[in-house]
Amino acid sequence: MPVQAFPVQLPSGTRYWTVVDDELGVVEEADRFLRELRLARGRAETTTKAYAEAVMLFLAWCVSTGRDWHTAARDMGLFMLWLKWTPGSGGKLRVVVAGPGAKPVRSESRINKVLTAVRMFLVHAVVNKTAPAWVLEQIYELGDSRDLPEEARGESGGMRYRMRARHRLQEPETAIDRASDEEIVAMFLKCRSARDRLILLLLSRVGLRPGQVAGLRRSDPHLLMDSRSLGCDMEGAHVHVIRRENENRAWWKSKKSWAMPVDFLVVQAFDQYALERHERLGADGSDFLLVNLFRPPYGTPMTTDAIGELCESLSRRAGLGRKIGPRMCRHAMASNVADAGGKLDEVQALLGQKSAESPRPYLHPKPSRLREAIERVPLPRLHGQESNR
């Protein structure tokens, strides 16, 4: 029973991903889990796609090794080994390559993400009585709060017990890069339209995610100094970021809505884009802010993928020698706020993040700021000289 992930669109227009067999028959338990994930828990379509692909790998492993997926959790370590060395459907080799020098097929990070989805799938099966209860003992162990960071232990100080995943690989630490100011300026100069300049500024100067940029509506920007006539009490020019069900499938994880302040450069880019859009489409068109202006179908909303392709194209035209992605532009915005003296809570609020620790990976101090911090430290001998006076 070969399996594969497959997209489904409901009559309401809502989409999610499921798992089907080689005859396109729905794998019932997997489909029930993925529908609940999308409809009852409000997860994004892209999340169901990632989880469907993970469950597909687990079921494929069970089929290829002759295991019943209901009880296969007892051999989860072998599943991890299979994930590491067995190529997907596009791979040529179908066997585990033993011996030194072989390159793993999937990274530690990828394997951990697959395991997370499989654990949720198995828990769902246990809750719905389609898998035995002892499966939970195979995928979780009883842990306590002593191995948690200080800030995560709570204020009571007492020891608390929790369920901890048994199977997880140690992921190597990887540096998250940012786009430099010089790279962003070079990309800005290679923009061929006011729309593209606005997109780049929304990414690098406002710090929006590509899904948030693609999901903006024409009513979201409030560019006046006083927006009370629009029913908004926030002062100054700003953009409202609101999660919606969008026809272009633009989505982001945060359920929080907030308003992002924007400066005169972004306001000017909005004005220039409004004129450009009116010249090409007139007053009609989609309620989405960013739409296709230069290729059909004209007036339809831009997609998240199109924004990523734009950044890649601008990187290439600017001759940067590397691809600058939307995420790197967002990191640049957060780092620039910190370099300009912004506090961590300010960066957190501007990025629309819930946890106070979330902004830390986005901060990349300039080398000059690090050197200035070292040079501000007085020499020990100066202290000695002052004490002798």
Side-chain angles (χ1 to χ4, degrees):
M1 184 190 68
V3 291
Q4 60 180 322
F6 195 82
V8 177
Q9 180 166 324
L10 300 176
S12 64
T14 302
R15 290 169 52 99
Y16 74 99
W17 285 69
T18 189
V19 178
V20 298
D21 58 25
D22 56 350
E23 297 181 353
L24 295 183
V26 173
V27 180
E28 184 177 348
E29 188 60 33
D31 183 68
R32 186 183 296 114
F33 163 65
L34 293 163
R35 273 191 287 115
E36 179 179 307
L37 199 69
R38 179 73 170 105
L39 303 178
R41 303 190 187 184
R43 299 294 184 89
E45 176 195 339
T46 52
T47 300
T48 64
K49 180 182 179 181
Y51 278 44
E53 291 172 347
V55 172
M56 173 199 70
L57 289 171
F58 177 67
L59 296 178
W61 169 70
C62 292
V63 171
S64 64
T65 58
R67 289 179 169 84
D68 181 358
W69 72 262
H70 301 84
T71 58
R74 66 181 64 178
D75 296 324
M76 193 65 76
L78 295 177
F79 175 52
M80 296 168 67
L81 184 66
W82 184 87
L83 284 174
K84 188 172 184 178
W85 298 109
T86 304
S89 58
K92 296 180 180 179
L93 297 178
R94 305 300 298 175
V95 296
V96 174
V97 181
K103 184 178 179 181
V105 174
R106 298 175 182 87
S107 66
E108 291 85 353
S109 175
R110 172 60 180 154
I111 292 174
N112 283 338
K113 291 176 180 177
V114 171
L115 292 175
T116 298
V118 170
R119 279 194 294 269
M120 291 184 63
F121 169 63
L122 292 176
V123 168
H124 180 272
V126 170
V127 170
N128 287 276
K129 311 299 183 183
T130 57
W134 59 259
V135 168
L136 293 180
E137 301 174 6
Q138 300 295 320
I139 58 179
Y140 289 105
E141 62 183 2
L142 192 64
D144 58 56
S145 57
R146 289 177 295 182
D147 62 341
L148 291 175
E150 185 78 25
E151 57 273 12
R153 297 181 186 178
E155 298 179 357
S156 63
M159 187 171 66
R160 297 180 179 179
Y161 291 95
R162 62 190 180 89
M163 301 296 286
R164 182 171 57 194
R166 285 183 177 273
H167 307 91
R168 180 174 295 276
L169 294 177
Q170 185 69 33
E171 299 181 21
E173 293 187 5
T174 56
I176 302 176
D177 201 0
R178 59 156 288 181
S180 68
D181 293 344
E182 293 76 14
E183 289 171 329
I184 292 174
V185 170
M187 294 169 65
F188 187 84
L189 295 176
K190 293 299 180 179
C191 289
R192 296 172 178 171
S193 67
R195 185 201 63 183
D196 293 352
R197 289 193 291 271
L198 175 60
I199 292 173
L200 185 60
L201 290 176
L202 289 172
L203 295 170
S204 62
R205 197 158 182 86
V206 184
L208 299 184
R209 294 184 172 92
Q212 293 168 340
V213 173
L216 287 175
R217 304 297 177 91
R218 300 168 76 176
S219 58
D220 291 338
H222 293 172
L223 306 180
L224 301 175
M225 293 303 297
D226 188 342
S227 300
R228 284 178 293 183
S229 61
L230 302 175
C232 177
D233 295 330
M234 184 171 180
E235 297 182 0
H238 59 276
V239 177
H240 288 273
V241 183
I242 305 170
R243 189 172 79 162
R244 306 179 176 94
E245 287 282 352
N246 295 309
E247 63 182 79
N248 62 348
R249 300 201 293 277
W251 188 266
W252 57 95
K253 293 182 179 179
S254 175
K255 298 179 181 179
K256 175 185 176 183
S257 298
W258 76 100
M260 278 290 300
V262 297
D263 61 11
F264 75 96
L265 188 62
V266 178
V267 172
Q268 187 178 39
F270 269 112
D271 291 342
Q272 293 175 353
Y273 169 64
L275 293 174
E276 179 180 74
R277 172 171 171 157
H278 185 76
E279 289 176 356
R280 292 183 172 271
L281 301 179
D284 298 328
S286 170
D287 183 49
F288 282 82
L289 177 67
L290 299 166
V291 296
N292 291 334
L293 298 180
F294 309 104
R295 60 183 180 185
Y298 298 105
T300 58
M302 292 188 65
T303 64
T304 302
D305 291 340
I307 292 175
E309 293 170 1
L310 172 64
C311 290
E312 182 177 358
S313 176
L314 292 175
S315 303
R316 184 174 59 254
R317 294 206 298 261
L320 300 181
R322 65 170 185 161
K323 183 178 73 173
I324 302 296
R327 189 182 182 191
M328 297 168 67
C329 294
R330 178 172 163 87
H331 279 253
M333 175 269 183
S335 296
N336 285 337
V337 170
D339 287 336
K343 306 299 182 183
L344 193 61
D345 61 335
E346 295 172 343
V347 178
Q348 174 194 348
L350 290 173
L351 294 178
Q353 295 176 324
K354 184 176 181 181
S355 171
E357 295 298 313
S358 298
R360 292 192 183 275
Y362 288 83
L363 305 183
H364 308 265
K366 288 182 179 179
S368 60
R369 185 157 69 93
L370 297 178
R371 179 168 295 278
E372 291 172 359
I374 291 297
E375 292 177 349
R376 286 196 299 268
V377 179
L379 298 177
R381 61 184 177 85
L382 295 180
H383 286 290
Q385 293 174 359
E386 292 175 358
S387 62
N388 291 332
R389 291 180 183 177

